[in-house]
C-alpha cells in the first residue's frame, strides 16, 4: 500500500481487488432471465419482505417509492447485519425474507458458503468493477463505507481528538468511549477484526490484537445495544468518542444536527463494501428481482449519496457530492478472506474473554 492518501473514488478501485471470493460453478440467473430489469407488474408477486440494517429513514423512503411504482406491498425488518445473517441461517428451511439489503461483503460470502443466497446477475452488471460483486453474482456491492473515529465536537476540539487507532488506548479516554455492541453489527465486527488483523497478517496469531481490544475495553464506558442508543449518548456527551461508519457520521451531522465530526485514522482504515442479495428459496422471487434493480438504479444511487450519504459502487453515477469526491482516505490493506474465515472465532473470543459484561447495555 502506498502511503499517500487517496480520494474515496480511488479507494473503491484500490480495495475492489481484495474482495473477490472463490467460485463454485453454480448457475447464475440474469436480469434477462427474469424478463428484464423491471419486469411487468402483472408478472410480479404482490408482496416482498426485505431484511436490512439501513434504518427506517432509508427503508421507509424506498418502500414508498417502490410501492408507488409497482403496487407491491413492501415489508421490511431493520436489524444489524450479523443479526440478519443469523436469522437467515435459522430460516433456511423456511425462508421468510426475499431480499437482504445491506451488509459487509464478508457477511454475504458467509451466507453464500452456507447456501443461503440465490445467484442473480443484474442488468447493471457492467457498471460494477470486478471486486464489487461476487464472481458468480450471489451478491453485488451497493456502497463503500470507510470506518472512522467519531467524536462529539461540543466536547472535544479537533486538536484533542485521537488521530489514529492506537491513541484510543490512552488512559485519558477511560469512560469516554461508547461503542455499538459488536456481535450484532457488521460495521463493528469489521473494525474489531481490522484491529486484530494489523498484527495477525504477519504473525498468524491474534494475541496482540486481543491485547489491543482488552485495552480498548478498559476505556469503553458502554457497548450500546443498537446504533441509535450509541448516537444519542455520544450526542448528549455521556461519552465523547466512538468508532463507526463515516457516511453515517456525515448524515447525522447534516440531517439531524448532531454535534458529530470524524477523523480518518492516519495509519489506514478498513473500507467496507456493502451489498445486496436475494435469499435462496425466496417466496416472492420476481418481486425480489424488481426491488433489487430498483434500489440500485443510477437514480437510487444518487439519492442514497445525496440524502443518505452512501458512496456508490456503480461507476456510472454522475455529479456526486463533494464530500465523496474530495475526501481523502487511506484504505487499510486487508485480506477479506481472513475476516470471513476467522471473524467469528475472533468475536467469540472477545465476547467470552475480553468484554466487560457490566458494560453491555441491553435494549
Amino acid at each position: 500500500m502506498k502511503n499517500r492518501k487517496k480520494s474515496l473514488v480511488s479507494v473503491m478501485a484500490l480495495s475492489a481487488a481484495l474482495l473477490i471470493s472463490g467460485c463454485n460453478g453454480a448457475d447464475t440467473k440474469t436480469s434477462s432471465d427474469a424478463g428484464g430489469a423491471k419486469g411487468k407488474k402483472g408478472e410480479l408477486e404482490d408482496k416482498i419482505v426485505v431484511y436490512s440494517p439501513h434504518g427506517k429513514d432509508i427503508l421507509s423512503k424506498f418502500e414508498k417509492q417502490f410501492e408507488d411504482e409497482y403496487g407491491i406491498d413492501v415489508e421490511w425488518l431493520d436489524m444489524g447485519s450479523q443479526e440478519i445473517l443469523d436469522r437467515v441461517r435459522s430460516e433456511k428451511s423456511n425462508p421468510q425474507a426475499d431480499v437482504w439489503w445491506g451488509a459487509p461483503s464478508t457477511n454475504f460470502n458467509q451466507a453464500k458458503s452456507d447456501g443461503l443466497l440465490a445467484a442473480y446477475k443484474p442488468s447493471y452488471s457492467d457498471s460494477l468493477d470486478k471486486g464489487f460483486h461476487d464472481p458468480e453474482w450471489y451478491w453485488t456491492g451497493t456502497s463503500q463505507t470507510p470506518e472512522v473515529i467519531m467524536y462529539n465536537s461540543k466536547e472535544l476540539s479537533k486538536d484533542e481528538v485521537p488521530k489514529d487507532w492506537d491513541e484510543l488506548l490512552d488512559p485519558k479516554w477511560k469512560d469516554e468511549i461508547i461503542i455499538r455492541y459488536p456481535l450484532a453489527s457488521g460495521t463493528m465486527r469489521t473494525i474489531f477484526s481490522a484491529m486484530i488483523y494489523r498484527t495477525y497478517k504477519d504473525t498468524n496469531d491474534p494475541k496482540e490484537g486481543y491485547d489491543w481490544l482488552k485495552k480498548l475495553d478498559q476505556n469503553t464506558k458502554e457497548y450500546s445495544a443498537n446504533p441509535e442508543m450509541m448516537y444519542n449518548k455520544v450526542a448528549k456527551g455521556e461519552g465523547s468518542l466512538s468508532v463507526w461508519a463515516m457516511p453515517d457520521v456525515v448524515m447525522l451531522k447534516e440531517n439531524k444536527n448532531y454535534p458529530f465530526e470524524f477523523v480518518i485514522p492516519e495509519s489506514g482504515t478498513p473500507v467496507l463494501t456493502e451489498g445486496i442479495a436475494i435469499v435462496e428459496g425466496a417466496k416472492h422471487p420476481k418481486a425480489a428481482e424488481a426491488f433489487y434493480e430498483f434500489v440500485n438504479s443510477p437514480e437510487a444511487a444518487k439519492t442514497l449519496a445525496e440524502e443518505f450519504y452512501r458512496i456508490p459502487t456503480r461507476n456510472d453515477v454522475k455529479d456526486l457530492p463533494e464530500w465523496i469526491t474530495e475526501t481523502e482516505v487511506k484504505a487499510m490493506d486487508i485480506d477479506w478472506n481472513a475476516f470471513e474465515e476467522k471473524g467469528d472465532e475472533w468475536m467469540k473470543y472477545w465476547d467470552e474473554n475480553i468484554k466487560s459484561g457490566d458494560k453491555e447495555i441491553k435494549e
Side-chain angles (χ1 to χ4, degrees):
M1 171 72 67
K2 294 182 179 179
N3 291 326
R4 63 188 182 90
K5 294 182 179 179
K6 297 180 180 288
S7 72
L8 289 176
V9 175
S10 298
V11 167
M12 293 179 192
L14 181 66
S15 60
L18 301 174
L19 300 172
I20 302 172
S21 63
C23 302
N24 63 14
D27 292 334
T28 302
K29 181 184 288 187
T30 67
S31 59
S32 59
D33 296 328
K38 293 181 66 174
K40 297 178 181 179
K41 293 183 181 180
E43 297 174 352
L44 306 179
E45 301 87 3
D46 59 4
K47 175 183 174 181
I48 182 175
V49 179
V50 179
Y51 289 177
S52 176
H54 282 332
K56 66 179 181 179
D57 291 343
I58 289 177
L59 294 171
S60 296
K61 185 179 185 72
F62 282 92
E63 172 191 18
K64 183 178 186 307
Q65 288 185 351
F66 187 73
E67 289 180 344
D68 289 347
E69 176 74 17
Y70 287 96
I72 294 172
D73 180 42
V74 177
E75 295 181 3
W76 49 262
L77 188 59
D78 178 23
M79 54 185 162
S81 302
Q82 186 64 34
E83 291 173 309
I84 296 174
L85 175 58
D86 293 340
R87 184 165 182 141
V88 173
R89 279 173 171 159
S90 71
E91 296 171 349
K92 183 176 182 179
S93 62
N94 183 26
Q96 300 300 302
D98 300 302
V99 174
W100 176 0
W101 182 26
S105 59
T106 49
N107 284 140
F108 286 114
N109 283 333
Q110 289 174 311
K112 172 189 173 181
S113 297
D114 291 346
L116 302 176
L117 305 181
Y120 175 69
K121 186 175 182 178
S123 63
Y124 56 87
S125 58
D126 288 345
S127 72
L128 294 172
D129 291 334
K130 187 176 181 181
F132 292 145
H133 62 83
D134 177 71
E136 298 165 302
W137 301 96
Y138 280 89
W139 59 265
T140 62
T142 57
S143 63
Q144 286 277 280
T145 306
E147 312 305 341
V148 297
I149 297 169
M150 181 179 88
Y151 66 97
N152 183 321
S153 57
K154 289 184 177 180
E155 299 291 327
L156 298 173
S157 70
K158 187 175 181 179
D159 292 337
E160 293 177 297
V161 180
K163 302 302 188 295
D164 212 342
W165 300 110
D166 290 346
E167 294 181 33
L168 292 168
L169 307 184
D170 191 312
K172 71 180 180 181
W173 301 121
K174 183 174 177 59
D175 291 335
E176 289 293 327
I177 300 172
I178 296 178
I179 290 175
R180 164 40 164 147
Y181 182 62
L183 294 192
S185 167
T187 294
M188 284 309 311
R189 289 169 72 100
T190 297
I191 292 173
F192 274 23
S193 292
M195 296 303 98
I196 295 171
Y197 181 76
R198 292 188 302 169
T199 52
Y200 177 87
K201 62 183 173 61
D202 297 320
T203 65
N204 206 36
D205 186 338
K207 183 181 183 305
E208 288 185 59
Y210 289 157
D211 289 343
W212 192 95
L213 291 177
K214 286 179 184 177
K215 293 176 183 176
L216 182 69
D217 180 78
Q218 292 169 7
N219 282 353
T220 299
K221 182 177 183 179
E222 173 184 311
Y223 298 105
S224 300
N226 58 60
E228 287 70 27
M229 287 178 63
M230 182 266 285
Y231 301 153
N232 290 332
K233 294 195 174 188
V234 175
K236 292 176 183 177
E238 294 183 27
S240 58
L241 291 167
S242 188
V243 289
W244 197 242
M246 187 189 84
D248 288 347
V249 180
V250 178
M251 178 181 69
L252 291 163
K253 174 189 174 184
E254 297 193 3
N255 284 4
K256 300 191 176 182
N257 297 314
Y258 280 32
F260 290 168
E261 294 288 350
F262 67 86
V263 171
I264 298 173
E266 293 176 347
S267 62
T269 192
V271 181
L272 283 175
T273 294
E274 295 272 342
I276 188 170
I278 294 176
V279 175
E280 176 65 28
K283 292 180 170 61
H284 312 100
K286 298 294 185 182
E289 291 162 11
F291 185 85
Y292 191 118
E293 298 276 344
F294 186 81
V295 298
N296 289 294
S297 67
E299 296 79 13
K302 192 165 184 182
T303 295
L304 286 164
E306 293 177 343
E307 298 184 25
F308 300 104
Y309 304 88
R310 296 300 196 266
I311 305 162
T313 51
R314 288 189 64 148
N315 58 26
D316 57 353
V317 183
K318 307 299 182 185
D319 302 319
L320 291 170
E322 286 188 3
W323 75 269
I324 293 177
T325 59
E326 300 299 323
T327 301
E328 295 183 334
V329 172
K330 181 179 179 181
M332 190 178 289
D333 191 357
I334 290 172
D335 176 2
W336 295 97
N337 289 327
F339 279 35
E340 182 184 346
E341 294 168 4
K342 294 292 185 179
D344 287 346
E345 173 188 325
W346 293 343
M347 291 303 96
K348 181 180 180 182
Y349 186 91
W350 174 85
D351 187 50
E352 296 178 351
N353 300 282
I354 297 175
K355 176 193 71 179
S356 297
D358 59 337
K359 296 180 181 182
E360 180 184 347
I361 306 300
K362 305 289 187 178
E363 291 186 88

